[in-house]
Amino acid sequence: MTYRRCGFRYEKKLRITGVSRIAGIDEAGRGALAGPVVAAATILPEKFRHRRLNDSKQLASELREEIYCELISNPEIRWTVGIVDSVEIDRINILRASHRAMRLAIESLLEPPDHVLIDGLPVIPFPLPQTAIIDGDCISLSIAAASVIAKVTRDRIMRDFCVQFPQYCFSQHKGYGTELHLLKLHEFGPCPIHRRSFEPVAQPLLALDEIVQIRSSPARRARREISEPVPEA
């Protein structure tokens, strides 16, 4: 895969055509089994520069938190978040919920942008002109900033839920389908923030069976015998 440094190439193309207010949008939590989906919208100043800003998934958690604080404390950056909870996710499905969170984020901006850069595929319907960019969070600084704000916001929400439901260890896995989470789900059953429409939540025994199969697979046993680290599923 060719490395592409996160920059303003899409933003510059739009500005040449006369578009000045450009927002980046990204979401966090679409694939989780519990908790909300969170979207963020950011409008960066034209002269914005940041050497370390990138797709939030490529940043260590400490650095991600540091960049988040830098972004939200910068008075020249406009940003908002949209949050859709697990009840709404179950009601309308995760794709529609993600799109709703994105629209909520845009609608919360005091001054609407002229154009929106969205990570991934187009969002339809959407109230503003948009450009969808595959892997946009590692190409566009506007989207990367949104990805960091969305991710850190959601991580903090999940840490708060961990205080409310400590038996599930949400602060460790943030609601994603890790081995630890699936084991806790099997042990305690779903809690109020679990997404009941997601199969591993609705059928935790099947999820546990998958863990057992992974643990007992010949390849995994062989790697253990020669003391090589085994990646988690």
Side-chain angles (χ1 to χ4, degrees), residues 58-71:
Q58 299 185 27
L59 302 172
S61 58
E62 296 83 2
L63 178 56
R64 193 164 54 229
E65 286 273 351
E66 183 181 335
I67 293 174
Y68 168 86
C69 292
E70 293 172 2
L71 293 172

Side-chain angles (χ1 to χ4, degrees), residues 33-34 165 167-168 170 181 184-196 198 200-204:
L33 306 181
F165 307 107
Q167 66 270 36
Y168 296 95
F170 286 129
H181 188 190
K184 296 296 183 182
L185 182 61
H186 173 68
E187 182 178 359
F188 299 106
C191 75
I193 68 163
H194 276 102
R195 301 174 184 178
R196 306 304 176 102
F198 282 44
V201 178
Q203 303 183 58

Side-chain angles (χ1 to χ4, degrees), residues 106-229:
I106 282 294
E107 291 166 3
S108 300
L109 288 167
L110 293 179
E111 294 182 58
D114 305 312
H115 197 98
V116 172
L117 301 177
I118 297 177
D119 181 51
L121 300 174
V123 176
I124 300 172
F126 203 76
L128 294 168
Q130 63 178 292
T131 300
I133 309 170
I134 301 297
D135 295 328
D137 45 10
C138 55
I139 297 173
S140 161
L141 281 171
S142 299
I143 297 176
S147 79
V148 168
I149 291 175
K151 173 65 175 166
V152 173
T153 298
R154 188 179 184 281
D155 283 356
R156 292 181 175 188
I157 291 172
M158 295 309 295
R159 285 197 291 269
D160 289 341
F161 277 132
C162 191
V163 175
Q164 191 173 353
F165 307 107
Q167 66 270 36
Y168 296 95
C169 306
F170 286 129
S171 62
Q172 295 183 48
H173 51 71
K174 309 302 187 296
Y176 286 92
T178 65
E179 183 173 314
L180 172 63
H181 188 190
L182 293 175
L183 287 169
K184 296 296 183 182
L185 182 61
H186 173 68
E187 182 178 359
F188 299 106
C191 75
I193 68 163
H194 276 102
R195 301 174 184 178
R196 306 304 176 102
S197 58
F198 282 44
E199 185 175 284
V201 178
Q203 303 183 58
L205 284 175
L206 293 181
L208 187 67
D209 286 342
E210 292 177 5
I211 293 175
V212 172
Q213 290 172 13
I214 291 170
R215 284 180 165 177
S216 61
S217 69
R220 194 176 180 100
R221 289 198 304 271
R223 286 195 294 268
R224 281 178 174 162
E225 288 170 3
I226 59 175
S227 302
E228 288 187 2

